[in-house]
Amino acid sequence: MPFEFSHSEITGVVLVKPQQFTDARGWFLESFKARDFEAQGIPGSFAQSNLSFSHAGVLRGLHYQLPPHEQGKLI
């Protein structure tokens, strides 16, 4: 799971720490993934959010996916 969930002493407050994957190009992380959040009792309707950082000169692209593995992209 790309997240560490820490339940607070305050009811309903959860600290979410995303796992960051780093390599020579930069880094990538998922900032939200409904399935993982729902498994922790955190409801939501947004499916997934990702962030990345690239070093100068690195070109990244979007991956086209066919059904049944398609994903909408918010740019």
Side-chain angles (χ1 to χ4, degrees), residues 43-57:
S45 60
F46 194 72
Q48 182 174 327
S49 174
N50 304 322
L51 299 173
S52 66
F53 167 81
S54 298
H55 293 290

Side-chain angles (χ1 to χ4, degrees), residues 1-70:
M1 183 180 312
F3 303 99
E4 178 184 323
F5 294 92
S6 300
H7 294 268
S8 170
E9 294 178 9
I10 302 170
T11 303
V13 176
V14 180
L15 174 62
V16 180
K17 293 182 183 179
Q19 182 178 1
Q20 182 172 307
F21 301 93
T22 304
D23 63 20
R25 301 171 295 167
W27 56 262
F28 173 87
L29 64 85
E30 294 178 341
S31 59
F32 176 80
K33 192 171 187 179
R35 180 178 58 223
D36 292 353
F37 278 57
E38 289 168 3
Q40 294 293 318
I42 305 169
S45 60
F46 194 72
Q48 182 174 327
S49 174
N50 304 322
L51 299 173
S52 66
F53 167 81
S54 298
H55 293 290
V58 173
L59 177 65
R60 294 186 187 250
L62 295 175
H63 302 272
Y64 181 74
Q65 295 158 293
L66 297 172
H69 304 291
E70 70 272 19

